[in-house]
């Protein structure tokens, strides 16, 4: 796909389609390159024709009415952090971005658009360059945070339209390289960071050794593939690669709570790049791995570690993608923590977390999920100085790394430019720690903090709970105070996180 | 009353109304041809509560940041749509219950509402022409629909006195526009009211099922003793 000239003011990144990774995958003949799995770009194919056919085949009722119902009132504009950061650029509004797929729908499927296309701006893509431009809009200028959806008077679900369009383009291989690479890894290895089984088990052993030393007991364990446990704990590959202490923190809490739990050897990755790429097949494959692991190990409950898109994918979308009737309760670890605190299974001492903390709501959890008060309930018990950020809960702004944007290097400058909205929001809290229950948000926020020189660091709920956790004497011989300062709480040093930030889709 | 006006008020309106109903019926069939989604997850909230909240969203300006921060724009929306309702009502009152507009206060009330809506329509037209965001996305249909609404409201203000002896042209204009609208609306953006229940239903059902709507669901337990809201010790 060649570059085409741009007209007018537009923040839409004019990134060409890079296919080196796709070519390499074809040369390597990787097993996932089969129909209904990983797709690559074929310049000689009738991609526009395929795009239109797929559009007709895949669209559902919810999407169809979102395509037709927009009245072009423009009320969504100021809900979008892209437009707020670039108020003079009308191409940054959700309605403009959604119109780019809407006009294709109108030309292809709607009456008026088919008969008098010029009357309603209906237009089908002419060539692969048009499809590439669409790629740059739906992947590069929208984090699919759903803020505009909740601010649309008509209830038009623009984020859903964006994901749908991403899915059609993914089917043609017209995707950013980062999206292709992560999807490939998840298809090939069952986890999005291509963590091998050996690495996985070694990391768990390492964390187990650390934990046993810290608690001075050999009873603490990180079990794998244990049958008949109450909890099947699923994690983000980022935890194995860059933040293994979050696994240790969970293990410590489970140990103190006397929980019967296990990680599965296969099906442990609760993240799901299918949510970002719009590929329902990938979404179904990854989610099914988790559900089948829970059934295989006869777990009573699936618990998802702190991850925004992982929670949304595993708790909500995955069952539908996989056409898999939910049989096992599925919850976030924050809900588990809340239950432990309510039942008195763990005790915490908030005086161990004295630094001012604010909370960042992950879009996928707050707007597309159900957890808004639960993390606050827990935080209010484990920290001394909790400060709300404004706006918050379902009106919070995206960390700017959502929608898989952290994996798409070509859109990074725009992402960081529009992150000024988030930076201002963070700064206004005066907090020194920003807590979030999402690994993707950790990297997104860390980028924002670094880029805008904010005096803050990012932690997760489990970090703060673990720090405040009171270890009963009966478990360790003497009451332990695990880790003293919040400075230690954030897993590996920030530098190491930033180094890997572009790889992560948490 | 001339024969033209009588036919326009009655037969033409009924024919146009039937045409609209038939097109809407086809439109509904078209919507239902798209495949529905099946929910496989166990609920965390109530789809019914979500749907109700979502449907009533239009009457809750505090519910969305976009309307909360722009009360003036919301007021315009209310006035504009009250004007639409009043003008449509007038198309039935004039031929079938003309006595109602003989009560001066009723006629004046309708004129004020429709007139205010006309003014809002003009403001919206100016906004559409001058706001770069709206200019970029606006289609010929957007402009024509709004222009026609302004004209329809203006004709409505003049037609409400229902004076066929001295100002019959106002009634002819009003009913002529009404007939045109009934035929044009199903193909224009004005038929958004047909889609509103669908978009709102799907959004409300999805997010209601997940417990995301209605918002403000509180955690079951209050703050523990010794900690006040905000987390600071008492």
């Amino acid at each position: 796909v060649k570059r085409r000239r741009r007209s007018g003011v537009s923040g839409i990144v004019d990134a060409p389609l890079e296919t080196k990774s796709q070519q390499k995958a074809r040369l390597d003949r990787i097993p996932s390159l089969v129909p209904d799995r990983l797709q690559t770009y074929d310049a000689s194919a009738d991609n526009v024709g395929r795009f239109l056919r797929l559009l007709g085949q895949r669209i559902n009722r919810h999407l169809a009415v979102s395509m037709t119902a927009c009245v072009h009132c423009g009320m969504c504009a100021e809900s979008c952090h892209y437009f707020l950061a670039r108020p003079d650029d009308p191409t940054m509004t959700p309605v403009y971005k959604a119109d780019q797929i809407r006009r294709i729908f109108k030309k292809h499927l709607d009456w008026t658009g088919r008969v008098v296309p010029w009357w309603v701006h209906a237009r089908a893509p002419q060539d692969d360059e048009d499809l590439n431009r669409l790629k740059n809009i739906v992947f590069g200028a929208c984090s699919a945070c759903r803020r505009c959806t909740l601010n649309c008077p008509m209830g038009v679900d623009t984020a859903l339209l964006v994901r749908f369009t991403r899915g059609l383009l993914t089917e043609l291989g017209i995707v950013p390289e980062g999206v292709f690479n992560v999807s490939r890894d998840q298809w090939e290895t069952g986890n999005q960071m291509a963590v091998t089984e050996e690495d996985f088990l070694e990391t768990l052993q390492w964390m187990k050794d650390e934990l046993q030393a810290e608690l001075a007991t050999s009873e603490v364990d990180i079990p794998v593939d244990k049958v008949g446990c109450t909890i099947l704990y699923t994690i983000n590959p980022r935890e194995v690669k860059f933040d293994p202490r979050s696994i240790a923190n969970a293990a410590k809490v489970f140990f103190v709570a006397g929980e019967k739990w296990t990680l599965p050897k296969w099906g442990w990755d609760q993240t799901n790049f299918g949510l970002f790429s719009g590929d329902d097949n990938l979404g179904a494959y990854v989610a099914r791995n988790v559900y089948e692991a829970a059934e295989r190990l006869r777990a009573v409950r699936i618990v998802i570690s702190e991850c925004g898109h992982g929670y949304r994918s595993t708790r909500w979308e995955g069952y539908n993608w996989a056409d898999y009737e939910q049989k096992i309760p599925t919850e976030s670890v924050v809900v588990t923590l809340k239950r432990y605190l309510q039942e008195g299974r763990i005790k915490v001492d908030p005086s161990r977390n004295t630094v001012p903390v604010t909370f960042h709501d992950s879009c996928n959890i707050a707007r597309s999920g159900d957890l808004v008060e639960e993390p606050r309930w827990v935080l209010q018990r484990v920290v001394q100085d909790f400060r709300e950020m404004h706006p918050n809960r379902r009106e919070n702004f995206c960390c700017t790394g959502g929608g898989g944007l952290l994996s798409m290097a070509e859109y990074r400058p725009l992402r960081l430019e529009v992150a000024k909205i988030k930076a201002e929001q963070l700064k206004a809290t005066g907090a020194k720690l920003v807590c979030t229950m999402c690994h993707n948000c950790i990297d997104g926020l860390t980028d924002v903090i670094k880029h805008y020189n904010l005096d803050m660091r990012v932690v997760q709920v489990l970090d703060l709970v673990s720090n405040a956790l009171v270890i009963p004497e009966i478990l360790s011989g003497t009451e332990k105070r695990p880790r003293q300062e919040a400075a230690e709480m954030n897993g590996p040093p920030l530098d190491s996180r930033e180094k890997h930030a572009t790889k992560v889709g948490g | 009353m001339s024969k033209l006006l009588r036919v326009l008020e009655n037969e033409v309106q009924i024919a146009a109304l039937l045409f609209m109903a038939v097109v809407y019926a086809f439109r509904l069939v078209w919507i239902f041809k798209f495949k529905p989604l099946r929910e496989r997850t166990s609920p965390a909230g109530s789809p019914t509560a979500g749907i109700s909240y979502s449907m009533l969203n239009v009457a809750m300006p505090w519910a969305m940041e976009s309307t909360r921060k722009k009360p003036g724009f919301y007021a315009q929306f209310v006035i504009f749509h009250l004007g639409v309702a009043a003008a449509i009502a007038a198309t039935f009152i004039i031929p079938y219950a003309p006595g109602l507009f003989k009560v001066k206060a009723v006629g004046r009330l309708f004129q004020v509402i429709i007139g205010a809506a006309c003014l809002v329509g003009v403001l919206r037209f100016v906004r559409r022409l001058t706001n770069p965001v709206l200019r970029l996305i606006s289609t010929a249909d957007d402009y024509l629909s709004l222009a026609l609404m302004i004209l329809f409201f203006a004709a409505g203000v003049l037609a409400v006195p229902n004076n066929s002896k001295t100002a019959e042209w106002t009634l002819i204009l009003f009913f002529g526009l009404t007939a045109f609208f009934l035929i044009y609306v199903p193909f224009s953006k004005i038929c958004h009211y047909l889609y509103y229940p669908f978009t709102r239903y799907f959004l409300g059902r999805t997010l209601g099922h997940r417990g995301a709507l209605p918002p403000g669901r509180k955690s079951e337990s209050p703050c523990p003793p010794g900690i006040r809201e905000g987390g600071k010790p008492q």
Side-chain angles (χ1 to χ4, degrees):
Chain A
V1 177
K2 295 171 191 166
R3 283 170 187 272
R4 178 186 278 183
R5 67 179 166 72
R6 272 195 330 210
S7 57
V9 179
S10 173
I12 306 296
V13 177
D14 191 16
L17 179 64
E18 295 288 352
T19 56
K20 281 183 199 129
S21 299
Q22 299 191 24
Q23 285 164 11
K24 187 173 182 310
R26 276 199 298 266
L27 285 172
D28 293 347
R29 297 181 182 215
I30 62 169
S32 300
L33 286 177
V34 289
D36 293 332
R37 283 208 161 197
L38 195 60
Q39 305 302 315
T40 55
Y41 175 66
D42 178 0
S44 63
D46 174 18
N47 288 307
V48 170
R50 272 194 70 203
F51 183 89
L52 295 176
R53 273 196 301 281
L54 286 168
L55 172 72
Q57 287 163 9
R58 298 215 172 150
I59 193 159
N60 60 44
R61 206 172 290 161
H62 189 173
L63 284 160
V65 291
S66 277
M67 292 278 192
T68 50
C70 179
V71 291
H72 288 164
C73 69
M75 292 288 276
C76 56
E78 283 162 34
S79 64
C80 176
H81 61 278
Y82 279 86
F83 181 69
L84 287 172
R86 278 191 166 212
D88 297 327
D89 182 353
T91 64
M92 289 288 108
T93 59
V95 59
Y96 174 81
K97 296 167 202 168
D99 260 11
Q100 305 315 302
I101 180 68
R102 195 175 280 126
R103 64 197 308 181
I104 300 171
F105 169 86
K106 283 180 180 172
K107 178 75 178 102
H108 192 55
L109 293 170
D110 190 55
W111 303 346
T112 318
R114 284 160 81 173
V115 179
V116 274
W118 57 274
W119 190 250
V120 289
H121 282 187
R123 185 176 181 273
Q126 302 301 302
D127 50 30
D128 291 8
E129 287 178 50
D130 280 346
L131 293 177
N132 186 56
R133 183 172 180 277
L134 194 58
K135 175 210 81 180
N136 287 331
I137 292 170
V138 294
F139 282 102
C142 176
S143 63
C145 73
R146 229 174 190 172
R147 203 167 188 275
C148 54
T149 300
L150 294 193
N151 276 292
C152 172
M154 285 296 294
V156 170
D157 201 338
T158 297
L160 202 66
L161 296 185
V162 164
R163 181 179 181 272
F164 173 69
T165 312
R166 286 181 174 197
L168 302 182
L169 293 167
T170 298
E171 191 79 5
L172 306 174
I174 300 179
V175 290
E177 282 240 291
V179 173
F180 177 83
N181 289 335
V182 181
S183 301
R184 179 202 59 211
D185 286 346
Q186 205 153 21
W187 274 120
E188 288 286 299
T189 66
N191 71 82
Q192 64 159 288
M193 289 190 183
V195 175
T196 62
E197 189 176 303
E198 192 185 8
D199 278 348
F200 176 65
L201 295 175
E202 264 184 21
T203 306
L204 297 184
Q205 183 60 48
W206 169 37
M207 283 301 106
K208 182 177 152 182
D209 294 344
E210 291 259 314
L211 211 49
Q212 288 185 345
E214 180 189 329
L215 299 178
T217 171
S218 59
E219 296 204 353
V220 62
D221 193 13
I222 302 182
V224 179
D225 255 4
K226 202 166 153 188
V227 178
C229 288
T230 308
I231 283 177
L232 178 92
Y233 192 54
T234 57
I235 58 173
N236 185 320
R238 182 185 181 280
E239 296 179 68
V240 183
K241 279 217 160 181
F242 310 120
D243 198 5
R245 276 172 64 176
S246 65
I247 305 171
N249 284 340
K252 185 162 64 182
V253 172
F254 289 145
F255 172 66
V256 174
E259 190 62 87
K260 272 180 77 182
W261 70 289
T262 186
L263 281 151
K265 199 185 277 184
W266 175 258
W268 52 266
D269 182 6
Q270 38 90 340
T271 71
N272 200 321
F273 224 71
L275 181 71
F276 297 149
S277 67
D279 182 352
D280 287 357
N281 288 333
L282 176 60
Y285 166 70
V286 179
R288 191 175 275 273
N289 285 342
V290 174
Y291 308 145
E292 287 178 349
E295 284 206 32
R296 174 171 55 85
L297 298 171
R298 299 200 294 276
V300 177
R301 189 185 296 273
I302 297 171
V303 173
I304 304 156
S305 73
E306 291 178 80
C307 176
H309 97 268
Y311 176 73
R312 179 179 166 189
S313 300
T314 310
R315 171 66 181 94
W316 295 114
E317 315 287 359
Y319 287 105
N320 296 325
W321 292 330
D323 205 15
Y324 197 99
E325 209 66 48
Q326 183 178 356
K327 301 178 198 108
I328 300 175
T330 307
E331 70 185 23
S332 163
V333 70
V334 173
V335 174
T336 316
L337 292 172
K338 185 184 169 201
R339 194 169 50 247
Y340 290 164
L341 285 164
Q342 280 177 320
E343 292 172 358
R345 289 171 71 177
I346 58 172
K347 299 255 184 292
V348 285
D349 175 6
S351 70
R352 294 176 184 175
N353 290 314
T354 54
V355 181
V357 179
T358 188
F359 184 70
H360 162 83
D361 292 275
S362 152
C363 306
N364 282 314
I365 293 173
R367 269 189 287 277
S368 294
D370 52 325
L371 305 180
V372 167
E373 301 305 332
E374 289 80 352
R376 288 174 170 78
W377 191 97
V378 174
L379 284 178
Q380 283 167 349
R381 282 152 181 82
V382 298
V383 304
Q384 279 196 330
D385 185 352
F386 176 69
R387 302 171 181 192
E388 280 291 4
M389 130 178 3
H390 295 282
N392 54 50
R393 295 173 166 83
R394 290 188 176 94
E395 292 184 355
N396 189 27
F397 283 104
C398 176
C399 70
T400 71
L405 273 163
L406 289 171
S407 67
M408 306 175 213
E410 58 270 55
Y411 307 126
R412 190 167 190 268
L414 177 61
R415 174 168 68 80
L416 288 174
E417 182 191 334
V418 301
K420 82 172 185 194
I421 304 299
K422 189 78 228 175
E424 285 163 8
Q425 211 192 353
L426 290 171
K427 198 174 176 183
T429 65
K432 296 291 174 198
L433 290 177
V434 52
C435 180
T436 181
M437 49 187 291
C438 172
H439 277 276
N440 197 67
C441 295
I442 289 183
D443 291 318
L445 292 171
T446 303
D447 261 6
V448 176
I449 288 167
K450 190 179 173 196
H451 188 76
Y452 288 92
N453 294 318
L454 304 179
D455 182 21
M456 302 180 103
R457 277 175 303 103
V458 194
V459 291
Q460 293 204 287
V461 178
L462 200 48
D463 295 327
L464 293 167
V465 171
S466 172
N467 199 51
L469 190 67
V470 177
I471 311 289
E473 283 181 32
I474 196 165
L475 293 177
S476 63
T478 116
E479 188 172 318
K480 290 268 176 185
R481 182 171 166 158
R483 292 183 181 90
Q484 293 293 320
E485 292 303 325
E488 288 180 25
M489 289 189 304
N490 208 8
L494 286 180
D495 285 345
S496 109
R497 281 205 168 132
E498 283 145 15
K499 197 170 113 191
H500 297 295
T502 54
K503 288 185 178 178
V504 176
Chain B
M1 182 192 288
S2 69
K3 194 179 173 189
L4 171 67
L5 179 59
R6 191 171 47 76
V7 173
L8 202 55
E9 277 187 9
N10 295 281
E11 287 84 351
V12 171
Q13 296 304 311
I14 291 166
L17 205 58
L18 279 173
F19 175 81
M20 185 172 82
V22 170
V23 179
Y24 276 168
F26 277 109
R27 202 69 174 168
L28 289 173
V29 170
W30 178 75
I31 290 173
F32 280 104
K33 273 188 177 170
F34 292 104
K35 57 183 178 244
L37 289 176
R38 194 179 153 200
E39 186 59 64
R40 300 276 184 185
T41 58
S42 56
S46 158
T48 313
I51 293 164
S52 309
Y53 178 85
S54 180
M55 291 279 190
L56 293 171
N57 191 276
V58 68
M60 296 186 286
W62 60 88
M64 294 191 302
E65 185 191 75
S66 55
T67 46
R68 200 169 55 237
K69 283 188 171 174
K70 291 185 171 176
F73 195 83
Y74 182 78
Q76 283 185 23
F77 156 81
V78 172
I79 292 166
F80 190 85
H81 286 86
L82 281 176
V84 171
I88 291 172
T91 65
F92 289 97
I93 292 170
I94 291 170
Y96 303 117
L100 200 58
F101 282 153
K102 283 186 181 148
V103 181
K104 267 196 171 179
V106 177
R108 282 277 181 272
L109 179 68
F110 268 68
Q111 282 183 306
V112 168
I113 294 171
I114 300 170
C118 185
L119 190 67
V120 167
V122 172
L123 290 173
R124 288 187 162 198
F125 199 84
V126 171
R127 177 173 172 261
R128 196 165 282 283
L129 285 171
T130 55
N131 184 320
V133 168
L134 292 180
R135 225 171 35 229
L136 184 68
I137 55 172
S138 292
T139 64
D141 177 40
D142 291 325
Y143 290 115
L144 183 78
S145 297
L146 193 49
L148 281 174
M149 287 306 297
I150 294 166
L151 195 59
F152 180 57
F153 288 140
V157 172
L158 298 172
V160 161
N162 192 14
N163 198 340
S164 58
K165 285 179 188 157
T166 55
E168 192 180 62
W169 67 272
T170 58
L171 291 161
I172 291 172
L173 175 68
F174 183 56
F175 283 98
L177 274 170
T178 308
F180 178 76
F181 259 123
L182 291 172
I183 293 164
Y184 178 66
V185 161
F187 305 99
S188 82
K189 70 174 250 181
I190 303 173
C191 71
H192 62 274
Y193 58 81
L194 185 72
Y195 305 123
Y196 180 87
F198 287 96
T199 48
R200 282 280 155 205
Y201 171 85
F202 288 126
L203 190 66
R205 190 186 63 176
T206 306
L207 298 185
H209 177 84
R210 296 180 186 186
L213 287 182
R217 191 169 55 92
K218 301 287 178 200
S219 65
E220 309 90 79
S221 311
C223 276
I227 303 284
R228 67 172 166 80
E229 188 73 26
K232 287 177 183 163
Q234 281 172 334

